[in-house]
Amino acid sequence: MDKKLKDHKQIGQELELFFTHDYAPGAPFWLPKGMVIFKELERYIRELTEKAGYVETSTPIMVKSKLFKESGHWVKFGEHNMYNLTLADDENDQHPESYTLKPMNCPESTILYRFRPRTYKELPLRLAELGRLHRREKSGEVNGLLRVRQLTMDDAHLYVRENQIFDEVSAILDMMIAFYKNFGFEYEFRFATRPDQRAGTDKMWDKAEKDMEDVLKKKGIKAGDKKGDGAFYGPKIDLHIKDALDREWQLATVQLDFHMPEAFDLKYVNEKGKFERPVMIHRAIFGSFERFIGILTEHFQGAFPLWLSPIQIILLPITETVNSYAEKLNQDLLELNIRSEVDIRNEKLGAKIRDATLQKVPYLGIIGEREMEDESISVRFRSGKDLGKFKLPDLTKKLRQEIDKKA
Ligand SMILES: [Zn+2]
């Protein structure tokens, strides 16, 4: 990493976003300002998925290990990669059971699918889940938000008919592109094929790989090869991005799965009243909130775009005499859902500007006697650029537009 650039752990501390602690290696503590970013991303992904016809679900974090044995994860993903606990009901329980902190949501998603008989009219059924997952990483390998033991995934499982694969995978790729363009990341797709350790028959794999190739071809997407790097249950298309530090990350993924519907005997009734097997599609847009926020933090070096900024504007009264006017403006901005703060410390303006700039607050509103007289705010950007005087309605309109664009 470039010497001048800070890593996300340092920025997380300085801007009071998040930190890790010895008490919970690999599981971040989120401070209020970090939680603002987390919640904004959560809102954004919910908006995107709702518009795309997904419905949101939630499944338990701790489940009996036998579920992962049935799904194939116990062997193929590896029981040593999960947290398994043997739990007795009480001290007299002679048959303690093994439980697992879920490392992924997929097997439990199939329980939702099996909740009642399904018909072709319900497909594609798109079940989203912002699930909290646990994966066993060695303590020496955990790294801030980038490599964690506890993660929150923007996960979804789609149950589709074979002739719906093309449209659904296409729509997911479009969603990924729209999402990453928004952040100004360079991105690239990779197509990952059957690994050595896999479930399902060669026939299943041939079909799944062919389907994904078709989507890539018809959409004119050139995808790099990741031979043998598919999930154990199916091939996948991953989206890789390059961050500001020129590092490459695999974030979004869409995976085709003919295996799990077989393993869990998933079915639906077709037009002729006969049972058919749905195909399962796994997808995530940013993968994990933790890692994505870690990457964003380093990418923007803490200077987040306005919509993600924990504080969007800070008002800086020059003298005590204008404090109450500044406080009133602050209140007005808060009521318009703009995350505003006012700095009424008894400090020189220069010091207030310096502190706000160090905190990477996007907009600084400077208020003196003159501004109070003509009911305005002198606005500057965190880069130091002077934007001139604004009346409150014009300023809020400008901020609102920028927030809504999520640029
Ligand atoms: Zn899955």
Side-chain angles (χ1 to χ4, degrees):
M1 192 179 291
D2 192 315
K3 261 203 191 124
K4 282 174 292 186
L5 295 173
K6 294 176 180 173
D7 89 348
H8 71 284
K9 288 171 281 188
Q10 191 185 350
I11 299 168
Q13 292 268 354
E14 287 175 5
L15 302 187
E16 299 195 356
L17 305 173
F18 46 75
F19 63 93
T20 51
H21 195 282
D22 262 358
Y23 278 124
F29 286 77
W30 291 91
L31 289 158
K33 285 181 185 166
M35 227 27 225
V36 170
I37 299 172
F38 198 106
K39 285 194 297 185
E40 283 293 348
L41 284 172
E42 205 171 57
R43 192 173 310 155
Y44 184 31
I45 199 71
R46 282 196 163 113
E47 250 173 53
L48 278 181
T49 48
E50 273 167 29
K51 263 192 233 155
Y54 289 66
V55 284
E56 189 169 340
T57 60
S58 179
T59 62
I61 288 175
M62 192 169 77
V63 280
K64 289 183 181 172
S65 306
K66 65 178 184 186
L67 179 67
F68 297 99
K69 292 176 183 165
E70 288 163 16
S71 69
H73 285 95
W74 195 261
V75 174
K76 301 289 196 306
F77 180 80
E79 64 167 296
H80 52 278
N81 292 323
M82 324 181 190
Y83 288 103
N84 303 308
L85 315 95
T86 305
L87 296 176
D89 266 355
D90 57 39
E91 63 275 21
N92 300 318
D93 185 355
Q94 296 302 309
H95 305 284
E97 279 211 70
S98 175
Y99 283 80
T100 295
L101 300 182
K102 65 175 171 182
M104 67 276 303
N105 300 303
C106 346
E108 286 189 80
S109 167
T110 72
I111 299 178
L112 296 174
Y113 183 90
R114 286 178 281 155
F115 166 67
R116 61 171 166 72
R118 304 286 180 181
T119 84
Y120 70 97
K121 287 181 188 156
E122 288 176 83
L123 307 189
L125 181 65
R126 308 177 189 91
L127 304 180
E129 172 162 15
L130 300 177
R132 190 147 273 184
L133 311 177
H134 291 81
R135 292 181 181 178
R136 217 151 132 177
E137 300 281 355
K138 293 198 182 80
S139 54
E141 285 168 5
V142 298
N143 173 17
L145 297 184
L146 299 180
R147 189 110 181 233
V148 288
R149 288 175 170 172
Q150 178 192 281
L151 57 130
T152 317
M153 195 183 259
D154 70 310
D155 207 359
H157 295 95
L158 294 81
Y159 299 88
V160 309
R161 307 184 80 173
E162 284 194 15
N163 63 7
Q164 294 168 333
I165 292 173
F166 181 83
D167 284 347
E168 292 304 315
V169 175
S170 297
I172 291 167
L173 294 180
D174 289 342
M175 196 191 279
M176 289 177 186
I177 292 169
F179 184 86
Y180 284 97
K181 268 194 179 155
N182 216 14
F183 287 97
F185 284 121
E186 273 179 51
Y187 62 87
E188 218 172 76
F189 287 102
R190 301 281 162 80
F191 178 41
T193 54
R194 69 191 78 185
D196 294 336
Q197 271 270 42
R198 61 178 181 263
T201 62
D202 282 351
K203 208 178 134 213
M204 275 182 198
W205 279 91
D206 291 342
K207 165 112 185 72
E209 287 174 359
K210 167 103 183 22
D211 282 341
M212 291 208 123
E213 267 171 21
D214 280 354
V215 177
L216 288 171
K217 212 194 268 165
K218 284 189 192 152
K219 287 188 80 68
I221 293 175
K222 282 216 175 70
D225 252 352
K226 284 209 289 193
K227 266 211 167 60
D229 206 28
F232 78 81
Y233 44 75
K236 55 181 188 153
I237 299 170
D238 293 330
L239 179 142
H240 290 234
I241 60 134
K242 246 192 200 156
D243 67 12
L245 315 180
D246 226 26
R247 293 174 307 182
E248 194 175 304
W249 299 94
Q250 187 241 298
L251 296 174
T253 185
V254 50
Q255 314 178 347
L256 212 52
D257 183 354
F258 290 88
H259 161 70
M260 234 170 287
E262 197 78 42
F264 288 111
D265 193 24
L266 305 186
K267 45 196 170 198
Y268 64 89
V269 176
N270 70 13
E271 297 89 331
K272 293 175 183 145
K274 295 260 185 330
F275 283 123
E276 278 188 45
R277 245 216 228 291
V279 179
M280 196 169 169
I281 299 173
H282 311 245
R283 80 102 184 94
I285 302 296
F286 41 85
S288 98
F289 280 77
E290 288 77 6
R291 201 160 62 128
F292 189 64
I293 294 174
I295 293 166
L296 283 184
T297 304
E298 291 185 5
H299 181 69
F300 293 119
Q301 287 289 296
F304 293 98
L306 188 63
W307 72 282
L308 285 176
S309 291
I311 303 169
Q312 294 169 320
I313 181 165
I314 186 159
L315 303 178
L316 311 175
I318 300 174
T319 58
E320 261 179 56
T321 51
V322 297
N323 276 358
S324 58
Y325 171 61
E327 282 177 313
K328 165 82 174 63
L329 284 176
N330 183 51
Q331 205 49 46
D332 292 345
L333 285 161
L334 289 171
E335 275 166 28
L336 293 162
N337 289 319
I338 304 234
R339 293 189 291 271
S340 173
E341 252 183 31
V342 55
D343 182 355
I344 51 162
R345 291 176 304 159
N346 190 18
E347 294 279 354
K348 290 233 160 57
L349 179 65
K352 291 183 182 182
I353 290 176
R354 196 188 55 230
D355 290 348
T357 308
L358 284 173
Q359 284 295 304
K360 316 269 183 183
V361 179
Y363 289 97
L364 284 63
I366 295 156
I367 295 155
E369 300 279 353
R370 243 176 296 161
E371 282 81 5
M372 188 164 78
E373 267 162 38
D374 57 15
E375 295 191 346
S376 69
I377 307 166
S378 287
V379 181
R380 55 191 280 175
F381 198 61
R382 63 185 155 206
S383 61
K385 192 178 173 207
D386 187 1
L387 302 173
K389 268 190 180 186
F390 283 83
K391 296 275 185 198
L392 186 66
D394 297 330
L395 178 62
T396 51
K397 195 174 153 205
K398 173 184 161 55
L399 296 181
R400 179 53 53 205
Q401 276 172 352
E402 191 179 333
I403 290 166
D404 290 345
K405 259 204 327 218
K406 292 191 167 61

